[in-house]
Amino acid sequence: MNDNYLGSVIKQMEYYKSLGEKAMSQLSDEHFVMKLNDESNSIGTIVKHIWGNMMSRWTDFLTADGEKEWREREAEFDNDLSTSADIMRHWEEGWKCFLDALNSLGSQDLDRIIYIRNEGHTVMEAINRQLAHYPYHVGQIVFLAKLLAKDPWQSLSIPRGGTKAFNVEKFNQEKRRKHFTDEN
């Protein structure tokens, strides 16, 4: 069961990574740094925060506290990444660190205790914590991208008005066991 859990989590997180990338691919360079108001974050800032969290939490995560001394969380919210290339470099580096850490695990690791700010978590709990955190921010990226992108927005799921045709196609197939991301 735990091997299925790890495989499912990895596929789910790869899906969210892809979703963020598909949204950001529809943007012009200036959209990456635009803020809707003084209290909002740009897509670049959100990426920088995800990157900082991933690098801190998943570097040596089995042996070192997940809140590294070198992390500067407050600086993650400075809107100082100025190019889409720099933003995407942070995106790739953070996701690589995270996914490499997940791929290094075996089911025997899931009950091990790791620490985040001196609070003990099982590895599974730490994974679940990020399974909520990273998709939350990817959702923000998708929402902002949809607001900022020029028409026509390329849907990242079933396009509006396409549900009936999508369901007909699905229900015309044999029942089978597969992960929903296998077709993306």
Side-chain angles (χ1 to χ4, degrees):
M1 195 261 323
N2 287 339
D3 287 333
N4 290 339
Y5 169 78
L6 285 170
S8 179
V9 166
I10 291 166
K11 281 183 170 254
Q12 190 75 41
M13 296 310 270
E14 288 171 339
Y15 167 76
Y16 281 106
K17 179 181 185 287
S18 171
L19 200 63
E21 290 166 356
K22 288 175 183 174
M24 290 185 285
S25 74
Q26 298 186 56
L27 300 176
S28 60
D29 280 352
E30 64 267 10
H31 290 143
F32 281 84
V33 296
M34 288 179 70
K35 291 173 54 172
L36 299 181
N37 60 43
D38 289 339
E39 291 301 313
S40 66
N41 292 314
S42 69
I43 288 172
T45 299
I46 295 167
V47 168
K48 188 177 167 191
H49 169 60
I50 294 171
W51 164 81
N53 184 280
M54 288 174 167
M55 297 305 292
S56 183
R57 294 289 185 267
W58 299 98
T59 299
D60 301 324
F61 80 103
L62 290 175
T63 57
D65 193 281
E67 188 66 17
K68 304 296 187 285
E69 289 182 21
W70 45 258
R71 183 180 184 198
E72 295 184 30
R73 185 182 180 279
E74 293 302 319
E76 292 167 15
F77 297 97
D78 295 339
N79 197 27
D80 60 355
L81 297 180
S82 59
T83 68
S84 60
D86 198 25
I87 292 164
M88 294 311 295
R89 183 184 59 75
H90 279 76
W91 175 264
E92 289 299 330
E93 184 180 25
W95 280 100
K96 180 177 181 350
C97 180
F98 174 55
L99 292 171
D100 285 353
L102 289 184
N103 280 303
S104 75
L105 294 172
S107 59
Q108 72 282 0
D109 296 312
L110 295 176
D111 290 328
R112 289 178 66 175
I113 301 298
I114 59 103
Y115 292 89
I116 301 171
R117 296 186 180 106
N118 277 342
E119 295 177 351
H121 297 64
T122 65
V123 168
M124 185 182 287
E125 289 168 337
I127 291 169
N128 288 342
R129 181 174 171 165
Q130 303 311 44
L131 192 56
H133 185 201
Y134 302 149
Y136 166 79
H137 287 304
V138 170
Q140 291 174 323
I141 290 168
V142 170
F143 179 74
L144 286 170
K146 196 170 185 178
L147 288 176
L148 297 170
K150 300 288 185 228
D151 288 332
W153 171 257
Q154 193 144 40
S155 177
L156 305 179
S157 64
I158 303 167
R160 192 173 283 184
T163 302
K164 186 173 183 172
F166 182 84
N167 285 344
V168 166
E169 179 185 330
K170 290 292 184 183
F171 285 111
N172 281 332
Q173 298 174 11
E174 294 288 320
K175 287 186 179 184
R176 64 204 179 284
R177 173 80 174 98
K178 69 180 206 84
H179 197 273
F180 82 96
T181 63
D182 288 342
E183 60 194 36
N184 293 329

